[in-house]
Each structure stands twice: as C-alpha cells, then as structure tokens.
Amino acid sequence: MTISAFIAVVLLHLMAAISPGPAVLMAARTGVTQGFAAGAALAVGIGVGGVIWAMAALFGLALLFEYAPMLLTGFKLIGGMFLIYMAYKLWKSADQPLVQTGPDTPPRSLRSAFLLGLVTQISNPKPAILFAAIFVGTVPATAGWGTYVALLAAVFFNETMWNTLVSRIFSLEKTRAGYLNLKGWIDRAFGGLLALLGVKIAAT
C-alpha cells in the first residue's frame, strides 16, 4: 500500500469521524454533564468501537452482511433500539436538575464512560459498510499485518482524538453554564437527535 493511498484512507475516515452521529452527540453530552475525564474515557471507548468495525470490514464482516442481509438488519434494529432508549432517557430527565458533581456525587466512572462509548459505537453497524467502501481499492490483497495495524491505529486515533476534542469543548465552564441555563431544551434536542439517528440506522 502506497503512502499516498494510506493518507487518503486516513483522511476519508477522519471526515467520517467528524460528521455528526451518535458517537459525537454522546461525546458532547458526556463532556457537558460529566466533565472532561469522563468524556475522554468515552472517546477511548468510541475509538475501540471504531477499531472493532474496521477489523470487521478488513476481515470480511461487510461481505457477510452483503450475503446475509438479515444479519445486518438485526444489527441495525438492535442498535437503533439502543439509541432510541438512550433518547427516551434523555427526554424523560430533561426537566430534572443536573446533579452537581462533588465529593458526595462523583461523576460517571471512567469504566462506565468507556463502556458507554463502546456500546454507542457498536450500536451503529454502518461503519463496517463505510470502512469496507473505503478499504476496497485502497488496501491491496497483498497488504501485510503492518499495514493492517497502521490502519487500525489511525482509526483509533481519529475516533478518539476527535471525540476527546468534542468532549473538551463541551466540558468548558462557559459551555457548561450555558447548558445549565437551557438544560431542558438542550436535553430534548439531544434526545430528539439521538432518536432520529436511531430510527435512521434501523430503517436504512
């Protein structure tokens, strides 16, 4: 695989990672409500989830989806239902005051944030199709393990760094203060977007 082809794959994936979706939305929500540490842990979970889907594309899961579309449908339904469930929880708690974190009310644990990021990313099987589309024609059949490892490392870096940046921006005090003033509206907006994304994933 040439250096130019590798850079093209990395940039294409970066553009996909930056585009709004469940992972970016969850990174923003976690940053503003739980703080930067939890947001960064969530971003690592998202990065690991991205690597899992990239591995699936590299090693044939996308091809399996093509020959067994019912399997993809099942994945999409389960993932869409998870996102709709998260949207319901956000909408239901929109009018509840945000519990201030402190010694007696610690934020979400790093492990819990990591798992939330992982599950959020895994709930959307479309990255496997996206990765397959990006990898076809750019990753030669003769590519060695070094190429695969470099691609997976790039996927992890892109997903983790972008969502860490999102969580950082939303964890800033000014952003948090704005959120507290408009919590009901913002939570309903987050919930509505998650629900729409869940329906879109399940239906397309």
Side-chain angles (χ1 to χ4, degrees):
M1 185 176 188
T2 65
I3 295 296
S4 59
F6 179 83
I7 293 173
V9 169
V10 172
L11 291 178
L12 281 172
H13 171 256
L14 180 59
M15 294 301 102
I18 289 174
S19 63
V24 175
L25 195 61
M26 197 63 72
R29 179 66 169 47
T30 301
V32 78
T33 60
Q34 299 292 321
F36 177 60
L42 178 125
V44 173
I46 291 170
V48 172
V51 169
I52 291 173
W53 282 127
M55 289 176 62
L58 282 171
F59 301 128
L61 182 58
L63 186 63
L64 178 61
F65 284 158
E66 183 177 343
Y67 285 98
M70 290 302 295
L71 181 62
L72 176 59
T73 300
F75 267 107
K76 291 195 296 184
L77 287 174
I78 293 171
M81 287 172 63
F82 169 75
L83 294 177
I84 291 171
Y85 168 72
M86 295 297 296
Y88 167 75
K89 289 181 64 177
L90 279 177
W91 192 277
K92 186 178 180 181
S93 64
D95 292 327
Q96 297 176 7
L98 179 67
V99 177
Q100 300 294 315
T101 58
D104 299 325
T105 56
R108 178 189 291 273
S109 72
L110 299 185
R111 178 178 179 274
S112 174
F114 169 84
L115 290 175
L116 177 60
L118 178 61
V119 173
T120 298
Q121 186 76 315
I122 294 298
S123 69
N124 182 6
K126 288 191 172 182
I129 309 301
L130 171 67
F131 282 124
I134 292 175
F135 293 156
V136 169
T138 57
V139 181
T142 56
W145 284 101
T147 299
Y148 290 151
V149 171
L151 285 171
L152 295 176
V155 167
F156 177 79
F157 180 83
N158 283 346
E159 295 281 358
T160 302
M161 290 300 101
W162 171 249
N163 287 290
T164 296
L165 176 61
V166 170
S167 67
R168 177 55 181 158
I169 291 171
F170 278 83
S171 69
L172 296 174
E173 191 57 40
K174 287 185 178 181
T175 308
R176 183 179 173 85
Y179 168 78
L180 290 173
N181 290 332
L182 299 169
K183 179 181 181 298
W185 290 98
I186 293 174
D187 277 4
R188 288 190 178 90
F190 272 121
L193 287 172
L194 266 184
L196 287 174
L197 287 168
V199 170
K200 182 179 178 182
I201 287 171
T204 59

